[in-house]
Amino acid sequence: MRGCDILAAAPRWGRRLAFGLAGLLAAAGAQAADPTPQSLAAAGLLTLPEPCTVSREELFQAAPDENVWVSDLADGVWLAIALCEHHAYQSTEVALRIEERDGALTSTLLAFPVWREGEQTPWPYITYQPWLIGLASEVSERRISLVYKGRGIGDCGEHVAYDLTGPVVRIEEYRAKFECDGAWIEPDTWPLVPRQVLDDHAPVHTDRMAGELLSAVMLRWPRVDWMGHAIARGDLDGGGVEDHWIGGYSRNWDTELTNYHLVRLQEGTLRAWDIPVANDTQYALCQPAASLAFEDPATLAIDDGLCDRMRVGWDAAADTITLGRR
Protein backbone atom coordinates (compact mmCIF):
# COMPACT_ATOMS: atom_id res chain seq x y z
CA MET A 1 0.00 0.00 0.00
CA ARG A 2 1.40 3.39 -0.90
CA GLY A 3 0.84 6.71 0.82
CA CYS A 4 -1.74 8.95 -0.82
CA ASP A 5 -3.37 12.34 -0.46
CA ILE A 6 -6.66 12.41 1.45
CA LEU A 7 -9.82 13.20 -0.55
CA ALA A 8 -8.89 16.72 -1.55
CA ALA A 9 -12.23 17.33 -3.21
CA ALA A 10 -14.56 16.22 -0.41
CA PRO A 11 -17.66 18.28 -1.13
CA ARG A 12 -18.85 19.15 2.36
CA TRP A 13 -17.71 22.31 4.16
CA GLY A 14 -17.67 22.48 7.92
CA ARG A 15 -20.82 23.95 9.41
CA ARG A 16 -21.10 27.73 9.41
CA LEU A 17 -20.48 29.84 12.47
CA ALA A 18 -22.66 32.45 14.07
CA PHE A 19 -22.09 36.17 14.50
CA GLY A 20 -21.09 37.54 17.86
CA LEU A 21 -17.95 35.72 19.03
CA ALA A 22 -15.47 38.09 17.41
CA GLY A 23 -17.40 41.05 18.76
CA LEU A 24 -17.25 39.76 22.32
CA LEU A 25 -13.50 39.26 22.02
CA ALA A 26 -13.05 42.70 20.57
CA ALA A 27 -14.93 44.19 23.51
CA ALA A 28 -12.53 42.47 25.93
CA GLY A 29 -9.61 44.45 24.50
CA ALA A 30 -5.89 43.66 24.58
CA GLN A 31 -3.15 44.94 26.84
CA ALA A 32 -0.43 47.14 25.42
CA ALA A 33 2.14 44.34 25.46
CA ASP A 34 -0.18 41.88 23.74
CA PRO A 35 0.26 40.89 20.10
CA THR A 36 -2.07 42.74 17.75
CA PRO A 37 -3.80 41.60 14.56
CA GLN A 38 -1.36 43.79 12.63
CA SER A 39 1.73 42.30 14.29
CA LEU A 40 0.45 38.74 13.82
CA ALA A 41 -0.22 39.37 10.13
CA ALA A 42 3.19 41.00 9.64
CA ALA A 43 4.93 38.02 11.33
CA GLY A 44 3.10 35.49 9.14
CA LEU A 45 1.36 33.92 12.16
CA LEU A 46 -2.17 33.98 10.72
CA THR A 47 -1.93 30.50 9.22
CA LEU A 48 -5.51 29.53 8.43
CA PRO A 49 -7.34 26.64 6.73
CA GLU A 50 -9.77 26.79 3.85
CA PRO A 51 -12.09 28.60 3.28
CA CYS A 52 -10.20 31.42 5.04
CA THR A 53 -7.17 31.14 2.75
CA VAL A 54 -9.48 31.27 -0.27
CA SER A 55 -11.90 34.01 0.72
CA ARG A 56 -10.15 36.23 3.26
CA GLU A 57 -6.37 35.98 3.03
CA GLU A 58 -5.96 39.32 1.26
CA LEU A 59 -8.25 41.00 3.79
CA PHE A 60 -6.23 39.63 6.71
CA GLN A 61 -3.11 41.18 5.26
CA ALA A 62 -4.76 44.45 4.16
CA ALA A 63 -6.96 45.08 7.21
CA PRO A 64 -6.27 42.53 9.96
CA ASP A 65 -7.78 44.81 12.62
CA GLU A 66 -11.18 44.40 10.92
CA ASN A 67 -11.00 40.62 10.61
CA VAL A 68 -8.93 39.33 13.56
CA TRP A 69 -9.42 39.83 17.32
CA VAL A 70 -6.94 38.98 20.07
CA SER A 71 -7.69 38.17 23.73
CA ASP A 72 -5.61 36.98 26.71
CA LEU A 73 -5.77 33.32 27.71
CA ALA A 74 -2.93 33.16 30.24
CA ASP A 75 0.53 34.59 30.89
CA GLY A 76 2.25 34.60 27.51
CA VAL A 77 -0.72 32.92 25.80
CA TRP A 78 -3.36 34.62 23.62
CA LEU A 79 -6.42 33.60 21.63
CA ALA A 80 -6.79 35.05 18.13
CA ILE A 81 -10.19 34.75 16.41
CA ALA A 82 -10.31 35.18 12.63
CA LEU A 83 -13.57 35.87 10.81
CA CYS A 84 -13.71 34.04 7.49
CA GLU A 85 -17.18 34.24 5.94
CA HIS A 86 -20.54 35.94 6.59
CA HIS A 87 -23.90 34.28 6.00
CA ALA A 88 -27.54 35.17 6.69
CA TYR A 89 -27.44 34.61 10.46
CA GLN A 90 -24.17 32.74 10.88
CA SER A 91 -20.53 33.11 9.92
CA THR A 92 -17.32 31.07 9.78
CA GLU A 93 -14.55 31.72 12.29
CA VAL A 94 -11.38 29.94 13.32
CA ALA A 95 -9.15 30.34 16.37
CA LEU A 96 -5.40 30.38 16.88
CA ARG A 97 -3.45 29.83 20.08
CA ILE A 98 -0.59 32.35 20.19
CA GLU A 99 2.23 31.53 22.62
CA GLU A 100 5.47 33.23 23.57
CA ARG A 101 8.36 30.74 23.60
CA ASP A 102 11.95 31.81 24.21
CA GLY A 103 11.11 35.40 23.34
CA ALA A 104 9.37 34.56 20.06
CA LEU A 105 5.70 34.11 19.22
CA THR A 106 4.30 30.86 17.80
CA SER A 107 0.87 30.18 16.32
CA THR A 108 -1.18 26.96 16.46
CA LEU A 109 -4.58 26.48 14.83
CA LEU A 110 -7.02 25.25 17.49
CA ALA A 111 -9.13 22.13 16.95
CA PHE A 112 -12.66 22.19 18.37
CA PRO A 113 -14.42 18.93 19.32
CA VAL A 114 -17.94 18.47 17.95
CA TRP A 115 -20.48 15.77 18.80
CA ARG A 116 -21.73 13.75 15.82
CA GLU A 117 -25.05 12.18 16.76
CA GLY A 118 -25.64 10.26 13.55
CA GLU A 119 -27.71 12.68 11.52
CA GLN A 120 -25.07 12.33 8.79
CA THR A 121 -23.63 8.94 9.69
CA PRO A 122 -24.99 6.06 11.79
CA TRP A 123 -22.01 6.22 14.19
CA PRO A 124 -22.15 8.66 17.14
CA TYR A 125 -18.73 10.03 18.10
CA ILE A 126 -16.74 13.22 18.71
CA THR A 127 -14.70 14.76 15.93
CA TYR A 128 -12.26 17.68 15.79
CA GLN A 129 -12.60 20.45 13.24
CA PRO A 130 -11.12 23.95 12.83
CA TRP A 131 -14.45 25.79 12.82
CA LEU A 132 -15.98 27.50 15.82
CA ILE A 133 -19.71 26.85 15.74
CA GLY A 134 -22.34 29.13 17.21
CA LEU A 135 -23.42 32.35 18.82
CA ALA A 136 -21.15 33.19 21.72
CA SER A 137 -23.03 33.23 25.02
CA GLU A 138 -19.87 33.53 27.13
CA VAL A 139 -16.24 34.39 26.46
CA SER A 140 -13.84 34.40 29.40
CA GLU A 141 -10.11 33.98 29.78
CA ARG A 142 -10.21 30.19 29.52
CA ARG A 143 -13.69 29.32 28.32
CA ILE A 144 -15.97 29.86 25.32
CA SER A 145 -19.65 28.92 25.37
CA LEU A 146 -21.45 28.73 22.04
CA VAL A 147 -24.97 28.08 20.78
CA TYR A 148 -25.21 26.68 17.26
CA LYS A 149 -28.60 27.09 15.58
CA GLY A 150 -29.72 24.14 13.49
CA ARG A 151 -31.94 26.65 11.67
CA GLY A 152 -32.87 30.30 11.94
CA ILE A 153 -35.70 30.05 14.48
CA GLY A 154 -33.37 28.29 16.94
CA ASP A 155 -35.64 25.35 17.81
CA CYS A 156 -32.76 22.87 17.40
CA GLY A 157 -28.99 22.88 17.55
CA GLU A 158 -26.13 22.51 19.99
CA HIS A 159 -24.91 24.30 23.10
CA VAL A 160 -21.29 23.66 24.00
CA ALA A 161 -18.81 25.02 26.55
CA TYR A 162 -15.13 24.68 25.59
CA ASP A 163 -12.21 24.64 28.02
CA LEU A 164 -9.28 26.54 26.47
CA THR A 165 -6.83 25.94 29.31
CA GLY A 166 -4.43 23.69 27.39
CA PRO A 167 -3.10 23.27 23.84
CA VAL A 168 -5.91 20.79 23.06
CA VAL A 169 -9.45 22.16 23.49
CA ARG A 170 -11.66 20.11 25.81
CA ILE A 171 -15.45 19.95 26.14
CA GLU A 172 -16.76 21.04 29.54
CA GLU A 173 -20.42 20.53 28.68
CA TYR A 174 -22.35 19.58 25.55
CA ARG A 175 -26.10 19.89 25.02
CA ALA A 176 -27.91 19.04 21.80
CA LYS A 177 -31.48 19.16 20.46
CA PHE A 178 -31.44 17.43 17.09
CA GLU A 179 -35.19 17.48 16.36
CA CYS A 180 -36.24 20.70 14.64
CA ASP A 181 -39.87 20.47 15.81
CA GLY A 182 -40.85 24.14 16.06
CA ALA A 183 -40.80 24.02 19.88
CA TRP A 184 -38.31 26.61 21.13
CA ILE A 185 -36.77 26.13 24.59
CA GLU A 186 -33.71 27.68 26.22
CA PRO A 187 -30.51 26.09 24.87
CA ASP A 188 -29.18 25.55 28.39
CA THR A 189 -32.09 23.14 28.96
CA TRP A 190 -31.40 21.01 25.86
CA PRO A 191 -30.52 17.34 26.58
CA LEU A 192 -26.99 16.71 27.80
CA VAL A 193 -24.68 14.47 25.84
CA PRO A 194 -23.76 11.90 28.54
CA ARG A 195 -20.52 12.62 30.36
CA GLN A 196 -19.42 9.02 29.82
CA VAL A 197 -19.70 9.46 26.05
CA LEU A 198 -17.57 12.60 26.20
CA ASP A 199 -14.99 10.82 28.35
CA ASP A 200 -14.93 7.76 26.06
CA HIS A 201 -14.07 9.99 23.10
CA ALA A 202 -11.84 12.46 24.93
CA PRO A 203 -8.40 13.13 23.42
CA VAL A 204 -5.78 10.57 24.41
CA HIS A 205 -3.08 13.26 24.56
CA THR A 206 -3.60 16.91 25.49
CA ASP A 207 -0.04 18.26 25.46
CA ARG A 208 1.51 20.75 23.05
CA MET A 209 2.57 18.05 20.58
CA ALA A 210 -1.01 16.78 20.33
CA GLY A 211 -2.22 20.32 19.67
CA GLU A 212 0.39 20.80 16.96
CA LEU A 213 -0.54 17.45 15.37
CA LEU A 214 -4.23 18.41 15.20
CA SER A 215 -3.28 21.82 13.82
CA ALA A 216 -1.06 20.30 11.11
CA VAL A 217 -3.64 17.82 9.80
CA MET A 218 -6.45 20.40 9.83
CA LEU A 219 -4.39 22.88 7.86
CA ARG A 220 -3.51 20.18 5.31
CA TRP A 221 -6.94 18.48 5.19
CA PRO A 222 -9.56 20.81 6.76
CA ARG A 223 -12.57 18.84 5.45
CA VAL A 224 -11.68 15.62 7.26
CA ASP A 225 -13.21 14.78 10.64
CA TRP A 226 -10.22 14.15 12.93
CA MET A 227 -10.59 12.20 16.18
CA GLY A 228 -8.78 13.09 19.37
CA HIS A 229 -9.23 9.56 20.75
CA ALA A 230 -7.37 8.28 17.66
CA ILE A 231 -3.91 9.63 18.50
CA ALA A 232 -0.99 7.27 19.13
CA ARG A 233 2.76 7.61 19.52
CA GLY A 234 5.43 5.07 18.69
CA ASP A 235 8.28 4.01 16.43
CA LEU A 236 6.45 1.81 13.91
CA ASP A 237 9.20 1.82 11.28
CA GLY A 238 11.95 1.07 13.80
CA GLY A 239 13.91 4.17 12.87
CA GLY A 240 14.58 5.19 16.46
CA VAL A 241 12.28 8.25 16.36
CA GLU A 242 8.87 8.44 18.05
CA ASP A 243 6.27 9.27 15.41
CA HIS A 244 2.84 10.79 15.98
CA TRP A 245 -0.19 9.09 14.43
CA ILE A 246 -3.80 10.23 14.10
CA GLY A 247 -6.97 8.89 12.49
CA GLY A 248 -9.85 10.69 10.82
CA TYR A 249 -12.48 10.09 8.21
CA SER A 250 -14.20 11.73 5.27
CA ARG A 251 -17.21 10.79 3.19
CA ASN A 252 -17.69 11.58 -0.48
CA TRP A 253 -21.37 12.46 -0.67
CA ASP A 254 -21.44 11.98 -4.44
CA THR A 255 -20.06 8.43 -4.44
CA GLU A 256 -21.22 7.67 -0.86
CA LEU A 257 -17.79 6.17 -0.17
CA THR A 258 -16.20 6.63 3.26
CA ASN A 259 -12.47 6.42 3.98
CA TYR A 260 -10.54 6.26 7.22
CA HIS A 261 -7.39 8.36 6.99
CA LEU A 262 -4.32 7.23 8.91
CA VAL A 263 -1.71 9.98 9.15
CA ARG A 264 1.85 9.95 10.45
CA LEU A 265 3.75 13.05 11.53
CA GLN A 266 7.46 12.26 11.44
CA GLU A 267 10.02 14.99 12.04
CA GLY A 268 7.68 17.67 10.69
CA THR A 269 6.51 15.72 7.61
CA LEU A 270 2.96 14.42 7.16
CA ARG A 271 2.20 11.18 5.31
CA ALA A 272 -1.26 9.68 4.84
CA TRP A 273 -2.86 6.35 3.95
CA ASP A 274 -6.53 5.73 3.13
CA ILE A 275 -8.38 2.67 4.46
CA PRO A 276 -11.93 2.05 3.18
CA VAL A 277 -14.89 1.87 5.53
CA ALA A 278 -17.05 -0.99 4.21
CA ASN A 279 -18.38 -4.36 5.29
CA ASP A 280 -17.55 -6.27 2.11
CA THR A 281 -13.75 -5.90 2.06
CA GLN A 282 -11.28 -7.81 4.20
CA TYR A 283 -8.95 -4.90 4.79
CA ALA A 284 -11.59 -2.33 5.64
CA LEU A 285 -13.12 -0.87 8.78
CA CYS A 286 -16.75 -1.39 9.75
CA GLN A 287 -17.19 2.18 11.01
CA PRO A 288 -14.92 5.25 11.04
CA ALA A 289 -14.93 6.28 14.72
CA ALA A 290 -11.97 3.99 15.40
CA SER A 291 -9.26 4.35 18.03
CA LEU A 292 -5.49 3.91 17.65
CA ALA A 293 -3.09 2.21 20.07
CA PHE A 294 0.28 0.48 19.87
CA GLU A 295 -0.08 -3.19 20.88
CA ASP A 296 3.69 -3.56 20.72
CA PRO A 297 6.50 -1.45 19.18
CA ALA A 298 5.93 -2.99 15.73
CA THR A 299 2.12 -3.07 15.70
CA LEU A 300 -0.35 -0.19 15.59
CA ALA A 301 -3.93 -1.41 16.14
CA ILE A 302 -7.03 0.29 14.72
CA ASP A 303 -10.11 -0.69 16.71
CA ASP A 304 -13.55 0.32 15.39
CA GLY A 305 -15.44 -1.66 18.05
CA LEU A 306 -17.28 -3.79 15.49
CA CYS A 307 -14.85 -5.72 13.27
CA ASP A 308 -11.71 -7.52 14.38
CA ARG A 309 -8.90 -5.09 15.00
CA MET A 310 -6.93 -3.90 11.99
CA ARG A 311 -3.22 -4.28 12.69
CA VAL A 312 -0.79 -1.93 11.01
CA GLY A 313 2.84 -2.92 10.52
CA TRP A 314 5.73 -1.54 8.51
CA ASP A 315 7.36 -2.87 5.34
CA ALA A 316 10.87 -1.41 5.39
CA ALA A 317 11.66 -2.50 1.82
CA ALA A 318 8.56 -0.82 0.39
CA ASP A 319 8.76 2.05 2.89
CA THR A 320 5.04 1.89 3.68
CA ILE A 321 2.51 0.36 6.04
CA THR A 322 1.08 -3.16 5.92
CA LEU A 323 -2.42 -4.16 6.98
CA GLY A 324 -3.55 -7.44 8.53
CA ARG A 325 -6.02 -9.11 10.84
CA ARG A 326 -5.02 -11.80 13.32
Side-chain angles (χ1 to χ4, degrees):
M1 178 177 291
R2 61 184 178 83
C4 60
D5 280 337
I6 290 174
L7 295 173
R12 187 165 54 92
W13 288 106
R15 281 181 281 184
R16 306 308 187 186
L17 314 182
F19 293 119
L21 176 57
L24 284 177
L25 284 176
Q31 298 177 1
D34 291 347
T36 65
Q38 293 87 346
S39 67
L40 293 176
L45 293 174
L46 295 180
T47 305
L48 305 171
E50 296 180 35
C52 290
T53 54
V54 175
S55 62
R56 307 288 284 190
E57 187 171 25
E58 292 183 2
L59 289 177
F60 288 140
Q61 301 303 322
D65 55 325
E66 298 177 7
N67 299 277
V68 181
W69 294 263
V70 181
S71 179
D72 291 316
L73 278 182
D75 236 5
V77 184
W78 298 267
L79 177 70
I81 298 290
L83 175 63
C84 298
E85 292 183 338
H86 284 297
H87 303 280
Y89 58 90
Q90 305 200 88
S91 63
T92 302
E93 294 166 313
V94 294
L96 300 165
R97 182 183 175 90
I98 309 298
E99 292 188 65
E100 184 177 4
R101 302 181 196 169
D102 301 323
L105 293 180
T106 64
S107 173
T108 303
L109 179 68
L110 285 179
F112 288 89
V114 176
W115 170 245
R116 301 294 198 206
E117 173 58 31
E119 71 277 17
Q120 296 171 335
T121 71
W123 314 286
Y125 61 95
I126 291 173
T127 179
Y128 277 79
Q129 60 182 31
W131 324 115
L132 273 169
I133 301 174
L135 288 162
S137 59
E138 176 191 355
V139 178
S140 61
E141 286 187 351
R142 301 191 179 190
R143 175 185 167 112
I144 291 179
S145 294
L146 302 167
V147 176
Y148 164 74
K149 290 184 178 182
R151 60 180 184 173
I153 64 173
D155 61 335
C156 57
E158 300 161 57
H159 181 279
V160 58
Y162 289 122
D163 178 359
L164 306 179
T165 304
V168 175
V169 177
R170 303 293 301 272
I171 295 176
E172 282 191 2
E173 183 179 272
Y174 213 120
R175 294 178 178 272
K177 182 174 181 285
F178 294 108
E179 186 178 359
C180 301
D181 54 8
W184 187 91
I185 58 174
E186 290 287 351
D188 59 8
T189 66
W190 289 347
L192 276 169
V193 171
R195 184 74 247 174
Q196 187 60 51
V197 174
L198 299 181
D199 292 342
D200 287 346
H201 295 270
V204 177
H205 301 282
T206 59
D207 57 11
R208 180 179 295 162
M209 191 62 233
E212 292 177 354
L213 173 62
L214 283 163
S215 174
V217 295
M218 287 192 307
L219 284 169
R220 179 79 174 271
W221 301 290
R223 302 171 191 175
V224 170
D225 284 347
W226 298 105
M227 286 166 281
H229 69 286
I231 294 178
R233 296 171 178 175
D235 181 18
L236 187 67
D237 63 6
V241 176
E242 183 181 67
D243 301 326
H244 302 264
W245 297 80
I246 188 170
Y249 102 96
S250 66
R251 182 173 178 82
N252 186 312
W253 296 98
D254 294 326
T255 64
E256 297 188 352
L257 296 177
T258 299
N259 277 313
Y260 183 85
H261 309 298
L262 180 64
V263 176
R264 180 188 71 180
L265 177 62
Q266 183 183 66
E267 297 183 322
T269 300
L270 292 170
R271 189 174 176 187
W273 293 265
D274 288 352
I275 301 171
V277 177
N279 55 16
D280 57 355
T281 305
Q282 180 181 5
Y283 296 115
L285 298 177
C286 292
Q287 61 102 353
S291 62
L292 294 178
F294 274 89
E295 291 186 338
D296 57 62
T299 307
L300 176 62
I302 306 176
D303 187 1
D304 62 20
L306 295 177
C307 298
D308 293 338
R309 289 184 179 183
M310 182 81 71
R311 288 171 170 84
V312 182
W314 190 261
D315 183 336
D319 189 33
T320 191
I321 64 170
T322 61
L323 297 178
R325 294 189 189 276
R326 52 179 170 82

